[in-house]
Amino acid sequence: TNPKIVVGALAFWENKVLLCKRAIEPRKGFWNLPAGYLEDFEKAEDGAIRETMEEAGAVIEIIQPLVVYNIPQANQIYIHFLAKLIDGNVDNGIESLETKLFTEDEIPWNEMAFTSSAFALRKFFEDRKAGNFNTHLGAFPEK
């Protein structure tokens, strides 16, 4: 079978990033970037926009791909887009226990659901500090 493609967004508002606490398994109760499986006939960026609305009630504007993250043993490829929140409003979607904007110092690193989200967050903060956003390749396990 072909790999499943997971699309999501690292969405920011001012100096904060959007995270959702998962209301579903796997990793229920852990924080994650809003993301989910790409649907048939859907563009990757449209899937990221849809997933962010479903999980965080948030309207975003895609800026660029931020991370392509491979998990071969799970047969998954994650594409996280860099995006800005349009109005800063977030709400709990049906798949989220909690939705919140975090500063870099507030990120619950020990409560992250998936390595793909932690990788994307690390790259976002590194790029922001450098003043230039790139697209990053990652994989689990990290070498």
Side-chain angles (χ1 to χ4, degrees):
T1 64
N2 292 332
K4 295 247 185 239
I5 298 174
V6 179
V7 293
L10 192 156
F12 64 89
W13 176 255
E14 295 169 351
N15 69 331
K16 296 182 177 186
V17 296
L18 171 65
L19 294 177
C20 301
K21 187 180 274 190
R22 294 177 57 80
I24 58 172
E25 294 294 348
R27 308 286 287 158
K28 183 178 179 178
F30 286 83
W31 292 94
N32 199 38
L33 295 175
Y37 290 119
L38 188 65
E39 295 183 355
D40 289 341
F41 311 108
E42 187 175 46
K43 292 191 309 188
E45 57 272 30
D46 292 340
I49 291 167
R50 175 184 50 76
E51 287 289 341
T52 304
M53 176 54 75
E54 288 176 3
E55 294 183 18
V59 179
I60 60 170
E61 180 182 316
I62 299 291
I63 298 170
Q64 69 182 61
L66 180 66
V67 164
V68 176
Y69 193 84
N70 298 281
I71 309 178
Q73 65 276 26
N75 203 28
Q76 293 178 340
I77 298 169
Y78 282 72
I79 304 170
H80 287 301
F81 290 91
L82 179 63
K84 61 182 173 186
L85 285 164
I86 296 301
D87 56 14
N89 293 327
V90 299
D91 196 6
N92 296 347
I94 194 164
E95 296 178 359
S96 301
L97 296 170
E98 189 177 346
T99 306
K100 188 175 170 189
L101 294 168
F102 291 88
T103 65
E104 183 174 5
D105 294 340
E106 296 169 335
I107 301 289
W109 293 105
N110 294 333
E111 299 172 44
M112 294 303 299
F114 302 113
T115 58
S116 57
S117 287
F119 179 84
L121 284 163
R122 284 196 312 271
K123 294 304 180 187
F124 170 80
F125 291 122
E126 288 170 14
D127 284 359
R128 187 173 73 176
K129 206 166 283 166
N132 183 40
F133 289 99
N134 296 295
T135 301
H136 304 274
L137 294 174
F140 182 83
E142 294 182 30
K143 291 185 170 60

